[in-house]
Amino acid sequence: MTTSTSDAASRFSGRQQSPLQRLQGLLHSYPWVSPLVILIVSFIVFTILNPRFATAGSMGLLFQQTAIVAALAIGQTLVILTAGIDLSVGAIMVLSMMVMAALAKDGGMPGPLAMLIGLALATGAGLLNGLLVTRINLPPFIVTLGTLSIFTAIALLYSGGSSIQASHLPDFLNALGNGFSIGGLRLTWGVLLVIVMYAVVGFILSQTAWGRYVYAVGDDPESARLSGVPSKRVLLQVYTVAGLLYGLAAWALIGRSGAATPNAYPQANLDSITAVVIGGTSLFGGRGRLVGTLIGALIVQSFAFGLSLAGVNQQYRVLATGILVIVAVGIDQWIRKVK
Amino acid sequence: MAPSKLPLAVDHIPSEKRHVYDAEPILSGRDLRIQWGHVVGLDGVNLDLYKGEVLAVIGDNGAGKSTLIKCLTGAYQPTAGQIYLDGKEVDFKRPQDAREAGIETVYQQLAVIPALDIASNLYLAREERRPGPLGSVLRMLDKKGMAKRAGDSVRELGIQTIQNMNLAVENLSGGQRQAVAVARAAAFGSKVVVLDEPTAALGVKESGMVLDMIKQLRDNGLGVILISHNMPHVWEAADRIHIQRLGGCAGVITPASHDMGEGVAIMTGAKKLTQDTPA
């Protein structure tokens, strides 16, 4: 009995695989490989189109432009790993930013306190999303579509629709826009914060039990529950942590844009989803790596940056991003067929 | 206060296995009743399970097999009756309670996560952390240690076809997935393992592999409850067979005392088991 099955297994594992099957297997184990290849190829192409692309100065600018969407995409990755989607990322960030700025300017609060309250508000907003998803069992798409409107409206009502300029804000709130240079490479504290966020969340996802629960809940919530994973609690925590991460992005955005504007970054939601999807994380949950999201965010921004350096109409960036999204989801469908 | 043993007909138990029944039962149910409104799910069922035996539970759909098992594993709470584990009365509020007490269940729907690797699945919700501050402060998982121990548990059950513990479960066949689920139960079930239809979705060879694993669990000294619709599998693997019928126990037989036809006849009510000669 056992000998015959192990014979079958050795025949199975020893069978010839076509190069295409081997590629499929590789992408299945390392879903971030294909976005990495796209990133490298696009870097080479943009450098050929305009050699200024590959300079340290350009890279510093590219990193600064990528920082905000990259920060939002961390929370988005957590939510998508649980087979959810978060359409309220931008709205939570903007609301949190407006609260931080108004508390400091109109409320006269010290910068760190205003920042912490804004951060707590963003965390609470994420918790609200999580409660609606886990307690009332509403689909994440509907919950966050609703809270997208709610938070956007509150941000506009609260701020009266007007921006608060950096000059009216304490240094602490603007600090993430400042930076330092290594050679010709200029980095801001905001870029550094985002790198630290990736390192910490990446560590948690890959090295701790909680990270495994996120994957398990996204892949098969019922099996996870039967195995003893507190599925609902993990889901609630994911939305709450995502809210906290959007709050940190809000702080970085004040420094980046030099003002707190209630209609800042309107395309944040779709950009963050695009980065996650291009980065190889499956919209069906349970599959993907955070490093892929960082690569995905870099791809989207390097397209924008590279094409503008090459003097190409910006609409081609939008076009190229659209094609990439469809290709990325197509690849995901294909590699999920590995049996 | 442990209950007195249910009567056993030792004549139909092979002599080399009789010592198993000299000990006290590891798990007992007495007069278990479940009622939802006026629907009776269980109608006063008694059961003894001994260490080192496979007790099969058979019965028609709706006979109360699953209800009985869910009572014993904490998924349902009986309306009346007592459950004893190792001679002590227990009161499981949730499946987690039963698991912590040493009763592992392999569910029909498998409860493995396809995207996670074998070691992660074996240790899911029971992860072990690295020693020292890496584990206590940074909460880092002891991936290497878990993979090594997962390999040990799988080999202990005589499964040779699974070698690489870092392989995602989705790459495994149905039988191998079932093997992972059984290995998890074996690794953590210190007293009793309950398997719900473990061979239902499997081919002939893979069923054979799973039945071998079940016998291995028994030989390792666990009490094993096997719920199955597949009579040849039951007659191959079971030491005793508990027959559920209409919410009650229609009798306990052994593969030696009755053949499959008789078992099915008792199960469907075509034949009555005389109550004074339980096996």
Side-chain angles (χ1 to χ4, degrees), chain B residues 33-54:
Chain B
R33 283 169 199 281
I34 272 208
Q35 208 160 344
W36 299 285
H38 44 253
V39 177
V40 178
L42 278 186
D43 192 14
V45 174
N46 294 312
L47 172 145
D48 275 344
L49 171 72
Y50 292 83
K51 269 187 177 180
E53 77 160 339
V54 175

Side-chain angles (χ1 to χ4, degrees), chain A residues 67-141:
Chain A
I68 302 301
V69 66
L72 292 176
I74 301 174
Q76 188 71 265
T77 305
L78 289 177
V79 171
I80 288 180
L81 277 176
T82 66
I85 193 105
D86 194 342
L87 301 176
S88 66
V89 278
I92 292 178
M93 173 177 67
V94 168
L95 175 61
S96 166
M97 174 175 72
M98 295 318 294
V99 168
M100 287 179 191
L103 286 178
K105 181 185 170 250
D106 306 329
M109 265 184 204
L113 185 62
M115 195 279 282
L116 284 177
I117 293 176
L119 214 53
L121 182 85
T123 310
L127 176 70
L128 177 68
N129 279 338
L131 285 173
L132 290 170
V133 168
T134 56
R135 297 285 181 267
I136 315 188
N137 292 317
L138 296 174
F141 183 91

Side-chain angles (χ1 to χ4, degrees), chain A residues 1-2 4-6 9 28 203 206-209 212-213 215-216 219-220 223-224 226-229 286-287 338, chain B residues 99 107 109 111-115 120 124-125 127 138-141 143 146 158 160-161 170-171 184 205 209 212:
Chain A
M1 173 65 233
T2 29
S4 61
T5 45
S6 60
H28 193 260
F203 176 87
S206 68
Q207 299 297 328
T208 71
R212 280 206 179 151
Y213 297 167
Y215 284 94
D219 200 30
D220 190 337
S223 290
L226 286 173
S227 303
V229 174
R287 208 174 304 266
V338 171
Chain B
R99 193 177 290 162
Y107 295 94
Q109 58 270 49
V112 288
I113 308 292
S120 302
L124 189 61
E127 285 82 3
L138 293 179
R139 308 195 148 241
M140 270 179 94
L141 295 173
K143 290 187 182 180
M146 285 192 284
Q160 271 110 40
T161 58
E170 63 199 339
N171 298 313
R184 174 167 62 191
K205 265 186 187 169
M209 178 180 88
D212 286 346

Side-chain angles (χ1 to χ4, degrees), chain A residues 201-246:
Chain A
V201 178
F203 176 87
I204 291 172
L205 272 180
S206 68
Q207 299 297 328
T208 71
W210 189 79
R212 280 206 179 151
Y213 297 167
V214 171
Y215 284 94
V217 167
D219 200 30
D220 190 337
E222 181 59 13
S223 290
R225 194 185 62 79
L226 286 173
S227 303
V229 174
S231 294
K232 295 242 159 176
R233 202 196 315 161
V234 170
L235 213 50
L236 184 66
Q237 288 164 343
V238 160
Y239 282 91
T240 310
V241 169
L244 174 72
L245 296 169
Y246 307 149

Side-chain angles (χ1 to χ4, degrees), chain B residues 23-34:
Chain B
E24 292 299 313
I26 180 77
L27 180 70
S28 299
R30 286 295 178 273
D31 201 28
L32 293 172
R33 283 169 199 281
I34 272 208

